[in-house]
Amino acid sequence: MYRGLVDGDKMSKFLRRFGYVRNIAKLQSNSKSSTNITEGLKTFQRYIGINATGTVDDLTWITMIKPRCGNKDIRIQRRKRFILQGSRWPSRGLSFRIIKYPTAFPRQFVEIELSKALRLWSDASSLTFEHRKKRDKFTDRETDIQISFEIGDHGDTEPFDGPGNVLGHAFFPQYGGDAHFDNDEYWTTKSLEGVNLFQVAAHEFGHSLGLEHSNDPEAIMAPCNNVYRRTRFGFDSDYPKNIRDLFGRWEGGVWQSIPDNLDTALSWSNDQTYFFKGMYYWKTIRFTLQPGYPRKISEGFIGLDESKFFTGNLDAAFVYSGDQKTYFISGALFWRLNENREFRGQIEHDYPQFVINWLRITNKITDALQWINGKTYFFSSNVYYRYDHVRQKVEDVNPPFPRLISDWWLNCNQTNSNHDSTFSDIPYITKLYTRPRRYVVESERNRCRKECVGLCFRIIPFLLLVSVMFH
């Protein structure tokens, strides 16, 4: 137990504010409330990587009262430096404007530090940022990220609390991307005193660009990562994959030896992408075709052969969100790989199994993918399903699944242009060009080219895979 004085009310407010305890006001008894707080405390302890006792020890309380970001910690996942929230900006060229400066920190230093923080992200991606300094009522409405230094309750239901504690917060792209900083903080630059504006801004802009908190204490997106570092502050070697998924830094070219009309494609987190047709596959690393291909599928993915009732022509190859293993679907059957490694991974002994017994989807699966929001989508002709891997069934939501690809992925139905936030991460792929031995995809928001819809129905998941890497 903590040897000092623990403020029980402050602890429960902390757990509620940062997402560890939900709907506590709706509980019917004190015993249920106490149980909810205990479980929330255990969840927080697991998040910071200490023994989940459900009681407050020194490290638990000290971490709770540290200055930190005001955004919720939300999801507990394996330790990752960057966790994708799901929504993204439709354009790579973003604008920002500082609409309210701090009262006790020179304006020129504010502009330098905030621009430097945004440059940290642009250097790691294909994004560019335009600083709009001149106030204009017309361009203000179109500015992507508005930045302000606020005091207390400033109109967004997340009030600041004076010096210390919450330093700032920012909204994900689907909610506007604005970033707010607490004006009451003692903002500094290159000093061990006060709060380092550059490091806090780099963190908050990560939220503005679509990243959630990380439970790695050394990551930029760690909730409490605001102590000034004399050494280089930035990304280390494990950042590229998730940032590239969200913002894109595509390096590659055109592959003259890969045929048209591929069956499906598979992408792993090590930048390796595999393209399948018939009984053969091709391998690329960062979209560079590797020598020695095509190979037989059974060579690289051991056991996916006739002895396991596979006769070629995969319908889907994807990493399933439920266990992060690779699955293959062909017709009514599916197979699971025991590890995501070429030449090492083998089809598990109790496969194949029937797709309908797993997914409870009666329609034939024509492709599948795990999207950047961590959810798995299954496609069948012109409709799709979103799968709940926790409950192991198609998600039960309104409007129900299956849904039309044309309405929810291509945005052809203009009446659905204002989707709720659940679907704000879905891209609108509207132009498709097929050329000999290559595909080119362009994305536009709220527009659709009707003439391409029929073709998109057939290969939309493959295009989405390519689209992730292009963007």
Side-chain angles (χ1 to χ4, degrees):
M1 291 289 292
Y2 182 65
R3 291 182 294 274
L5 181 63
V6 175
D7 186 332
D9 183 57
K10 187 173 182 179
M11 179 186 70
S12 62
K13 286 181 179 178
F14 175 95
L15 295 173
R16 288 198 301 271
R17 176 163 190 172
F18 298 111
Y20 297 102
V21 174
R22 295 184 176 87
N23 300 323
I24 194 170
K26 298 181 181 179
L27 297 176
Q28 299 299 315
S29 68
N30 289 334
S31 62
K32 288 184 178 180
S33 174
S34 177
T35 300
N36 203 27
I37 290 176
T38 300
E39 290 305 311
L41 186 57
K42 288 181 180 179
T43 302
F44 173 68
Q45 289 171 327
R46 284 192 292 268
Y47 188 84
I48 62 176
I50 65 174
N51 190 26
T53 62
T55 58
V56 182
D57 56 18
D58 292 39
L59 182 57
T60 302
W61 183 245
I62 290 171
T63 305
M64 279 186 172
I65 62 177
K66 276 184 178 180
R68 58 161 289 156
C69 170
N71 287 47
K72 293 182 183 298
D73 298 331
I74 301 178
R75 294 185 294 190
I76 309 303
Q77 301 191 12
R78 68 185 184 276
R79 187 165 295 236
K80 296 172 71 173
R81 291 180 179 269
F82 299 94
I83 298 176
L84 306 181
Q85 179 266 340
S87 63
R88 66 166 77 189
W89 292 97
S91 171
R92 297 181 187 181
L94 302 178
S95 58
F96 71 96
R97 194 170 76 80
I98 306 168
I99 62 175
K100 189 182 293 186
Y101 286 80
T103 55
F105 195 58
R107 176 181 293 234
Q108 65 270 28
F109 290 156
V110 173
E111 294 180 356
I112 290 171
E113 296 305 297
L114 296 185
S115 296
K116 187 169 66 173
L118 285 168
R119 191 161 58 248
L120 189 72
W121 293 103
S122 63
D123 288 347
S125 68
S126 60
L127 290 172
T128 60
F129 297 97
E130 173 198 354
H131 185 185
R132 292 181 174 174
K133 295 185 179 183
K134 186 177 180 181
R135 184 161 188 167
D136 184 291
K137 64 179 181 180
F138 298 106
T139 58
D140 279 358
R141 290 196 296 267
E142 298 177 357
T143 299
D144 297 307
I145 300 173
Q146 297 199 15
I147 303 166
S148 60
F149 290 76
E150 305 286 355
I151 297 175
D153 187 350
H154 50 283
D156 63 4
T157 73
E158 295 292 342
F160 288 131
D161 49 14
N165 299 314
V166 174
L167 307 175
H169 55 237
F171 298 90
F172 297 121
Q174 68 192 56
Y175 303 120
D178 293 348
H180 299 162
F181 300 90
D182 190 347
N183 185 68
D184 286 334
E185 303 298 338
Y186 175 40
W187 296 107
T188 61
T189 176
K190 297 180 181 179
S191 173
L192 294 174
E193 297 181 358
V195 181
N196 185 269
L197 179 58
F198 163 65
Q199 291 182 189
V200 174
H203 173 98
E204 299 304 340
F205 292 149
H207 292 314
S208 298
L209 298 176
L211 292 174
E212 290 191 10
H213 281 155
S214 166
N215 59 351
D216 185 327
E218 298 301 316
I220 289 177
M221 296 311 297
C224 300
N225 191 354
N226 52 66
V227 177
Y228 174 62
R229 302 182 195 175
R230 292 183 183 274
T231 56
R232 178 181 176 271
F233 177 82
F235 307 113
D236 59 17
S237 59
D238 69 353
Y239 83 86
K241 177 62 173 63
N242 280 342
I243 293 180
R244 185 164 56 251
D245 278 352
L246 201 58
F247 314 133
R249 168 165 281 185
W250 178 71
E251 299 175 5
V254 179
W255 319 289
Q256 297 300 321
S257 59
I258 295 182
D260 295 329
N261 302 316
L262 294 165
D263 293 333
T264 190
L266 165 69
S267 182
W268 283 341
S269 60
N270 56 6
D271 291 321
Q272 295 179 5
T273 302
Y274 302 89
F275 299 89
F276 300 88
K277 184 171 183 178
M279 296 290 290
Y280 295 89
Y281 76 100
W282 291 256
K283 174 183 175 180
T284 69
I285 298 179
R286 295 188 180 181
F287 273 57
T288 299
L289 181 64
Q290 302 302 294
Y293 293 83
R295 294 178 181 268
K296 283 191 173 183
I297 294 174
S298 58
E299 293 181 24
F301 307 91
I302 300 170
L304 195 56
D305 54 29
E306 292 182 356
S307 69
K308 289 282 190 178
F309 304 102
F310 175 67
T311 57
N313 302 112
L314 287 168
D315 292 313
F318 59 99
V319 176
Y320 174 52
S321 55
D323 55 16
Q324 299 304 317
K325 290 188 175 182
T326 297
Y327 287 69
F328 302 94
I329 294 177
S330 180
L333 302 175
F334 75 98
W335 299 258
R336 183 169 73 183
L337 207 62
N338 64 355
E339 61 176 308
N340 297 344
R341 295 182 65 182
E342 186 188 15
F343 305 124
R344 294 286 298 275
Q346 301 184 32
I347 298 300
E348 296 183 5
H349 71 277
D350 51 348
Y351 289 83
Q353 297 180 16
F354 287 103
V355 174
I356 191 170
N357 292 342
W358 173 32
L359 301 177
R360 308 294 178 185
I361 296 174
T362 57
N363 293 336
K364 173 181 166 58
I365 301 300
T366 54
D367 222 321
L369 60 86
Q370 183 182 155
W371 191 235
I372 61 174
N373 58 7
K375 298 183 178 182
T376 302
Y377 293 77
F378 293 93
F379 298 81
S380 177
S381 185
N382 63 342
V383 298
Y384 77 99
Y385 306 79
R386 190 172 70 233
Y387 199 74
D388 185 338
H389 61 261
V390 176
R391 296 180 175 85
Q392 296 188 5
K393 66 176 185 177
V394 173
E395 287 196 10
D396 184 13
V397 293
N398 187 36
F401 292 100
R403 294 174 175 169
L404 286 172
I405 297 172
S406 58
D407 289 357
W408 294 88
W409 288 79
L410 302 179
N411 205 33
C412 289
N413 185 348
Q414 294 302 311
T415 62
N416 280 344
S417 60
N418 294 318
H419 298 325
D420 61 54
S421 62
T422 306
F423 305 100
S424 62
D425 56 312
I426 294 176
Y428 303 106
I429 296 181
T430 59
K431 290 184 182 178
L432 167 66
Y433 302 90
T434 54
R435 300 174 183 171
R437 295 182 170 80
R438 74 168 175 175
Y439 296 96
V440 179
V441 181
E442 293 184 10
S443 296
E444 295 180 5
R445 195 171 184 82
N446 298 329
R447 301 185 65 188
C448 181
R449 297 288 187 267
K450 298 285 186 178
E451 61 268 22
C452 79
V453 170
L455 188 56
C456 284
F457 283 161
R458 182 166 57 85
I459 58 173
I460 179 104
F462 169 70
L463 293 176
L464 290 173
L465 173 69
V466 176
S467 181
V468 169
M469 296 188 178
F470 266 92
H471 292 83

